[in-house]
Amino acid sequence: MKKLHFIIFFLLLQTLFGQESFIESKLTAGYKGDFIPELKNENEDLNFLVLGDFGRVGEYYQKEVAKQLGNAALMLDSEFIVTVGDNFYPNGVASIYDEHWHASFNNIYKHPSLYIDWYAALGNHDHRGNIDAQIAYSDISRRWNMPAPYYSKTFELNDGKKLLLVVMDTSPFIQSYQGKTEKYPHLESQNAEEQKKWLIETLSTNDESIAWKVVVGHHPLYSGGKRKEAKDTKDFESQFADLFDSLEVDAYICGHEHDLQIIKPKGRFTTQFLSGGGSETRPAGTREGTIFSKAEPGFMSFTVNGDSIEIKTIKAHENSAEILHTMHLKKK
């Protein structure tokens, strides 16, 4: 028994000193920023962060979340960041020259660890502006990536397996937006059926090396929050919940609700991760299948290898971060 206790104590010390060694190395190198000691990248797995509903010229909690997002990216050596839409409030951007690009993005997310690839989805507030400008900005910014309203990218994992990331544009599937050309000027040019066909084809891949299928969109399949019983939410669930299950989508990542939620209804294959706490927060709640729900400013981290995904839900305080919840998806 004493030997067992010694081994456990030794392993804990190894972990602690390993983390201190990382922090010490950064300080020695001249880094003057903050750390999140609870986050660590031990196995060099693929790490990415998820942010949603954020672009508010630094107001609400945007600056606090941006600061801790940078600290998390440093600790995890994150490879990229995913946005789930509503990148710019209240009416998207007008052009590639819109002041929003600097006021809500470049001048806010300025931690050196955030100068990595950002894979962005469109939200309903983005559709109130010029979505073509968000696509075109990909040719101007080193880090902003939106090659089209919907797109996919494959990432190789350390063990030779792959992660398939599929980014949707969900607004064309929301019935209450249709026909409102003054409010949503670009929706008429979007063919929802064509996108759905592309989505099915992309997720029906025969590539056996793809271990994980992750879909990113703005609108949730389910919510325990403000839009729990909203018709738009119910309609979106009816269009995609069964489809995602049949295509074995492991995770659906979304926003729209300004909180942090994880939901997997009974009998479902796909787990939904809602990360909408990028700036403003609203009261959250629960529903059948809720695993986690908090109305807090923050984001999520995903650590991926061929066998599992570790997801951490992180609350941003002004000068620190707090791990609110940790869960694992295991390969079935």
Side-chain angles (χ1 to χ4, degrees), residues 120-124 126-135 146-151 167-175 177-181 183-198 218-219 239:
L122 291 165
N124 55 298
D126 301 308
H127 267 281
R128 295 184 185 184
N130 185 350
I131 63 170
D132 290 334
Q134 293 203 38
I135 294 169
M146 187 187 287
Y150 52 91
Y151 57 96
V167 180
M168 293 179 63
D169 179 8
T170 56
S171 290
F173 299 98
I174 305 301
Q175 297 306 310
Y177 299 170
Q178 308 310 311
K180 298 180 179 179
T181 54
K183 190 172 185 180
Y184 302 108
H186 289 265
L187 274 185
E188 279 194 344
S189 64
Q190 299 282 84
N191 187 321
E193 288 306 311
E194 187 176 293
Q195 181 183 169
K196 194 169 187 177
K197 180 181 178 183
W198 168 86
H218 182 64
H219 294 84
Q239 292 179 80

Side-chain angles (χ1 to χ4, degrees), residues 21-258:
S21 176
F22 171 82
I23 293 173
E24 185 64 31
S25 70
K26 292 297 181 183
L27 292 172
T28 302
Y31 177 70
K32 297 178 177 63
D34 298 322
F35 301 93
I36 306 176
E38 296 82 3
L39 292 179
K40 52 187 176 293
N41 183 0
E42 293 180 318
N43 302 314
E44 296 186 355
D45 293 332
L46 175 73
N47 282 277
F48 66 92
L49 302 173
V50 176
L51 178 71
D53 302 82
F54 58 93
R56 293 183 183 273
V57 199
E59 283 299 321
Y60 297 85
Y61 294 104
Q62 190 184 6
K63 288 183 179 178
E64 290 87 343
V65 173
K67 181 178 180 180
Q68 300 309 325
L69 189 77
N71 294 336
L74 172 74
M75 299 301 299
L76 293 169
D77 191 22
S78 297
E79 186 162 328
F80 58 90
I81 293 164
V82 168
T83 88
V84 297
D86 281 3
N87 307 314
F88 302 99
Y89 286 95
N91 298 312
V93 292
S95 71
I96 58 173
Y97 307 106
D98 196 304
E99 59 269 26
H100 245 321
W101 287 109
H102 294 298
S104 293
F105 182 59
N106 293 322
N107 294 342
I108 301 296
Y109 303 99
K110 56 188 180 180
H111 192 289
S113 293
L114 297 180
Y115 281 80
I116 54 180
D117 288 325
W118 289 55
Y119 295 101
L122 291 165
N124 55 298
H125 283 274
D126 301 308
H127 267 281
R128 295 184 185 184
N130 185 350
I131 63 170
D132 290 334
Q134 293 203 38
I135 294 169
Y137 202 70
S138 302
D139 294 327
I140 295 173
S141 171
R142 165 60 185 84
R143 50 182 174 163
W144 187 265
N145 289 273
M146 187 187 287
Y150 52 91
Y151 57 96
S152 68
K153 187 164 179 68
T154 302
F155 299 91
E156 291 192 9
L157 307 176
N158 286 337
D159 52 13
K161 296 178 182 178
K162 298 175 184 175
L163 165 74
L164 174 62
L165 186 76
V166 178
V167 180
M168 293 179 63
D169 179 8
T170 56
S171 290
F173 299 98
I174 305 301
Q175 297 306 310
S176 66
Y177 299 170
Q178 308 310 311
K180 298 180 179 179
T181 54
E182 188 172 333
K183 190 172 185 180
Y184 302 108
H186 289 265
L187 274 185
E188 279 194 344
S189 64
Q190 299 282 84
N191 187 321
E193 288 306 311
E194 187 176 293
Q195 181 183 169
K196 194 169 187 177
K197 180 181 178 183
W198 168 86
L199 184 71
I200 294 170
E201 290 175 352
T202 303
L203 290 168
S204 299
T205 175
N206 293 320
D207 187 348
E208 294 183 357
S209 66
I210 291 177
W212 301 100
K213 297 178 184 178
V214 175
V215 176
V216 177
H218 182 64
H219 294 84
L221 296 164
Y222 328 104
S223 176
K226 176 183 177 182
R227 297 179 174 93
K228 179 178 181 178
E229 302 297 337
K231 186 176 186 301
D232 286 345
T233 304
K234 299 295 185 183
D235 287 347
F236 192 73
E237 177 187 354
S238 68
Q239 292 179 80
F240 288 102
D242 287 340
L243 181 64
F244 287 167
D245 283 353
S246 67
L247 294 169
E248 297 188 342
V249 172
D250 298 286
Y252 176 61
I253 303 175
C254 61
H256 199 45
E257 298 282 54
H258 298 173

